[in-house]
Amino acid sequence: MFRNGSRRDHDTGPAPEALRLVKVSKSYGTADNAVTALDGVTLGLARGTFTAVMGPSGSGKSTLLQCAAGLDRPDSGIVQVDGKELTGGGEAELTKFRRGRIGFVFQQYNLLETLTVAQNTVLPLKLAGQRVDRRRAREILTAVGLGDRLGHRPDQLSGGQRQRVAIARALVTEPRVIFADEPTGALDTRSAREVLALLRQAVRVHGRTVVMVTHDPVAASYADSVLFLADGRLAGRLDAPTADAVAERLAHLGDDTTAGV
């Protein structure tokens, strides 16, 4: 799908863990009305893994993703991506780091309607002030099945095609970690499977790390492991998940919140 040997493969080298959270907590609201979204979450994810994060509504899934990706700051605790702590430093430094080492895929695609497929894909490079390698961008888009759609605008694409553009855009900067928030939530079954296969290929073939929030047991079954959240706390882990096993665990989530992670 993508070429190896990029500039990022010749820097100081990636950290052994792609993501580490240590006692991360986050609350919303005033003191009298505070809602705890994350309650002392500690976890570590190895490089080159595909992890799904699941739990009931209000369990803290999206907050976990936002804090881990540096989109929101926790109230306390430490977040490290690729060995670098995100909970320190200024906003400008954090933005620069996100643009260089983190990719995002969202449920609603977040494409600019006035830009073409090719222009949307290279936008992160332009925003980061990096040289735009249009040939490599074409290679990525061809790899995700959009080589014949470079000049199309988002309103000329299906939902599945739009999400492929979003994946290409996330990968163009060669990030260490890709955070995906319900990436198949707006897609039909076939498109969803194609998008999940692309994310898994980015992990298996090219060593990226993917962290995906999902409510769908079938989507979670594409991951290497599933982390379960309940009431802002880790409530278990399932390795080599199947859709049936994930659904069964979700049905009994909260029965034993001391399950190993």
Side-chain angles (χ1 to χ4, degrees):
M1 184 189 294
F2 313 105
R3 295 177 307 168
N4 292 322
S6 70
R7 58 182 172 79
R8 295 197 189 284
D9 296 321
H10 296 288
D11 57 16
T12 56
E17 284 186 325
L19 177 66
R20 170 154 284 277
L21 275 63
V22 181
K23 297 182 179 179
V24 171
S25 295
K26 178 71 176 180
S27 296
Y28 296 100
T30 62
D32 294 336
N33 255 337
V35 175
T36 300
L38 294 178
D39 187 5
V41 172
T42 295
L43 63 86
L45 301 180
R47 291 175 49 228
T49 56
F50 188 173
T51 303
V53 180
M54 304 192 76
S57 178
S59 62
K61 302 186 298 298
S62 292
T63 302
L64 175 67
L65 192 80
Q66 290 163 2
C67 288
L71 297 174
D72 199 359
R73 292 182 182 270
D75 297 330
S76 61
I78 296 171
V79 177
Q80 291 181 331
V81 174
D82 194 35
K84 178 177 175 59
E85 184 176 341
L86 299 190
T87 37
E91 190 62 36
E93 182 184 0
L94 178 59
T95 298
K96 181 179 179 181
F97 183 84
R98 282 199 309 258
R99 287 176 176 171
R101 302 211 178 194
I102 296 175
F104 301 98
V105 181
F106 300 99
Q107 179 176 346
Q108 296 302 327
Y109 324 125
N110 287 13
L111 303 180
L112 294 183
E113 296 294 331
T114 57
L115 299 184
T116 65
V117 166
Q119 290 168 338
N120 267 291
T121 300
V122 301
L123 186 59
L125 297 174
K126 289 193 171 186
L127 291 174
Q130 298 176 15
R131 183 179 69 87
V132 175
D133 185 343
R134 299 190 185 282
R135 182 175 66 86
R136 182 172 174 277
R138 285 196 300 272
E139 289 178 357
I140 294 174
L141 286 165
T142 298
V144 300
L146 294 174
D148 59 347
R149 297 286 192 274
L150 302 183
H152 286 59
R153 298 189 189 280
D155 63 2
Q156 298 173 298
L157 304 176
S158 69
Q161 289 171 330
R162 290 187 183 201
Q163 197 60 295
R164 291 183 188 204
V165 178
I167 291 173
R169 180 187 57 192
L171 289 164
V172 73
T173 59
E174 299 184 10
R176 298 289 197 215
V177 185
I178 298 168
F179 292 97
D181 191 0
E182 299 281 7
T184 61
L187 303 180
D188 60 68
T189 300
R190 178 178 176 180
S191 296
R193 288 175 178 172
E194 292 171 348
V195 163
L196 291 163
L198 287 172
L199 290 174
R200 189 160 62 180
Q201 186 177 10
V203 175
R204 298 283 190 274
V205 179
H206 304 284
R208 307 302 173 203
T209 302
V210 173
V211 182
M212 175 181 70
V213 164
T214 182
H215 68 279
D216 181 3
V218 174
S221 71
Y222 280 74
D224 300 314
S225 61
V226 181
L227 296 180
F228 296 94
L229 285 179
D231 299 322
R233 299 180 180 180
L234 288 175
R237 172 177 176 147
L238 182 63
D239 293 320
T242 65
D244 288 343
V246 171
E248 175 71 14
R249 183 68 68 89
L250 283 172
H252 296 90
L253 200 59
D255 291 352
D256 180 12
T257 56
T258 63
V261 177

